[in-house]
Amino acid sequence: MSAGKIKDYYKVLGVGKNADRKEIKKAYRKLAREHHPDANLNDATAEERFKDVSEAYDVLGDDQKRTEYDQQREYFAAGGPGAGGWTGGGSPGGAGWQDIFTRGGGGFGSVFGDVFGGAGPAKGDDLYYTITLGFQEAFKGTTKRIKINRRRTCSTCSGSGAKPGSQLATCETCGGRGTIAQNQGFFSVNQACPTCGGEGRVVKESCRTCGGAGTLPEEKTVTVKIPAGIKDGGKLKYRDLGQAGHRGSPAGDLFIIIKVGEHGLFRRAGNNLHIEVPLAFTEAALGATVKVPTVGGKVSLKIPPGTQSGQTFRVKGKGFKKSRGGGFGDMMVKVHVEVPKQLEPAERELLARFAEKMDSDPRAAVMAQAQER
């Protein structure tokens, strides 16, 4: 297959890259007279040369077109896509690079496959499957068995679509080259042949098993191992379990998307867990050791005397398992002090006696600030 390339209009006119408009116009007139069809009757070569000269002058004789053309030459000289070259601008008719690269519906692979060394085998499409987990399943990890519907490569013809032992015929559309030449503005490019899909050959006798498709439908059971600590939106990849590739090419991949349900008590933030726990008034005032829940059971938490409502304590290693570096996150316990809504007479008497002995006003500092302002 011949590689597509950008035409060198300076070479066509025989001028240097820095030639001014006067030089370009002079060179064009000279060559146009020399190769004009009227002066070269029945000379196909001269006619083709005249077309090239006219096309070159149409670009280099227009300042805007010439600027775009020079930018595109620099872009290809820098290595084309991904080489850090020019990526903006347009081509004649207002089409930008993105339009040129995607003409024909195939992107880089179909339009410029030959320019950049070929698009490689037509890998099959990827498949996506969503699994919803409970909060504890995501915390501990689990195993799920799922069924997927895909197309696998036909084992009879190995994906070729041809009857075993039969010959593949040369594609008449492209003559076996796999590409057909097309002009794209400044470019002369090779596009994948629509008849043979770029293969250069077509099936003469179809495989009886797959009817020439090269693939067959399949329902496959897949065992998915979900690691502990996986996050909502996490993705697992299983190679070659997607759709079969074209004509025996590699299959696509299977991607498992994980959704994790919420928990009634715990909230996840990264690898840490957050929970709110109530404290009795006496526990907060006098201090205590209380039991608090974790996803895996209960732990003891020491509450120091004078703990305030809204204070947060850290319980190390009781969060989610870390996917990198090992270890676990922490559990953050936020306490809030509960005030009893009803008191027994004896309890009320004790609190009243306690209040009488209190000689500090908890609002004194606030009142002082208010007066200052």
Side-chain angles (χ1 to χ4, degrees):
M1 299 181 186
S2 60
K5 59 183 180 180
I6 187 168
K7 297 176 183 178
D8 189 342
Y9 290 144
Y10 292 103
K11 187 175 181 180
V12 171
L13 294 182
V15 297
K17 186 176 183 295
N18 297 321
D20 57 26
R21 293 185 65 181
K22 186 176 180 180
E23 292 178 86
I24 291 172
K25 188 174 184 179
K26 182 179 179 181
Y28 163 69
R29 285 181 173 179
K30 178 179 179 297
L31 292 172
R33 286 195 300 268
E34 181 181 342
H35 299 287
H36 197 283
D38 292 344
N40 299 272
L41 298 176
N42 300 320
D43 187 340
T45 302
E47 183 179 353
E48 189 65 29
R49 174 70 171 149
F50 178 77
K51 291 179 180 178
D52 289 342
V53 169
S54 299
E55 183 181 335
Y57 181 68
D58 178 64
V59 174
L60 299 184
D62 183 289
D63 290 341
Q64 182 177 349
K65 290 183 180 180
R66 183 179 179 182
T67 298
E68 294 173 352
Y69 171 73
D70 288 341
Q71 289 173 326
Q72 293 172 8
R73 276 168 54 90
E74 293 174 5
Y75 178 73
F76 269 77
W86 181 75
T87 57
S91 59
W97 274 103
Q98 189 66 21
D99 299 320
I100 295 174
F101 287 152
T102 56
R103 286 177 185 172
F108 292 121
S110 61
V111 181
F112 286 93
D114 288 336
V115 178
F116 303 113
K123 182 180 177 181
D125 292 335
D126 295 329
L127 289 178
Y128 295 85
Y129 191 99
T130 300
I131 293 180
T132 300
L133 301 179
F135 197 84
Q136 291 209 13
E137 287 181 310
F139 182 85
K140 298 178 180 179
T142 186
T143 299
K144 298 286 187 179
R145 290 173 64 85
I146 63 172
K147 289 184 178 180
I148 60 172
N149 292 307
R150 62 192 289 263
R151 295 194 70 86
R152 64 172 177 83
T153 299
C154 175
S155 57
T156 302
C157 64
S158 299
S160 70
K163 179 181 178 181
S166 67
Q167 299 294 321
L168 294 176
T170 300
C171 176
E172 296 181 358
T173 303
C174 64
R177 294 186 301 275
T179 60
I180 54 176
Q182 287 194 355
N183 288 325
Q184 301 279 352
F186 301 139
F187 300 95
S188 174
V189 300
N190 291 327
Q191 186 172 3
C193 174
T195 302
C196 65
E199 297 177 19
R201 298 181 298 171
V202 293
V203 174
K204 194 172 183 179
E205 292 184 75
S206 297
C207 170
R208 293 182 179 179
T209 303
C210 64
T215 61
L216 292 168
E218 174 188 52
E219 183 181 74
K220 185 176 182 63
T221 299
V222 180
T223 299
V224 180
K225 294 182 179 180
I226 301 171
I230 195 165
K231 297 179 180 179
D232 181 63
K235 184 185 295 185
L236 303 175
K237 179 179 179 179
Y238 288 80
R239 294 186 180 276
D240 303 325
L241 287 183
Q243 301 287 15
H246 181 66
R247 302 301 185 206
S249 298
D253 301 321
L254 170 64
F255 290 91
I256 306 296
I257 311 299
I258 301 299
K259 296 296 181 184
V260 181
E262 296 183 354
H263 195 281
L265 288 176
F266 300 102
R267 178 177 59 85
R268 183 174 184 174
N271 293 313
N272 291 337
L273 280 173
H274 289 254
I275 186 174
E276 293 192 10
V277 174
L279 288 181
F281 167 75
T282 52
E283 292 174 328
L286 302 176
T289 298
V290 299
K291 294 288 185 180
V292 296
T294 71
V295 176
K298 297 179 180 179
V299 295
S300 296
L301 177 64
K302 187 175 181 180
I303 304 296
T307 292
Q308 302 297 303
S309 187
Q311 194 168 338
T312 299
F313 299 91
R314 181 187 298 269
V315 181
K316 293 186 177 181
K318 293 302 179 180
F320 273 80
K321 185 176 181 180
K322 298 178 180 179
S323 58
R324 294 180 181 179
F328 294 81
D330 301 327
M331 185 174 74
M332 313 303 291
V333 181
K334 183 178 181 179
V335 299
H336 59 85
V337 179
E338 287 195 344
V339 178
K341 295 180 179 180
Q342 294 183 346
L343 295 173
E344 297 292 334
E347 296 170 338
R348 182 179 293 278
E349 182 180 349
L350 288 173
L351 283 176
R353 290 165 57 188
F354 171 76
E356 288 176 359
K357 294 184 178 181
M358 291 284 294
D359 58 357
S360 62
D361 183 355
R363 294 171 296 282
V366 175
M367 297 298 291
Q369 290 181 4
Q371 292 176 358
E372 290 176 0
R373 295 184 182 182

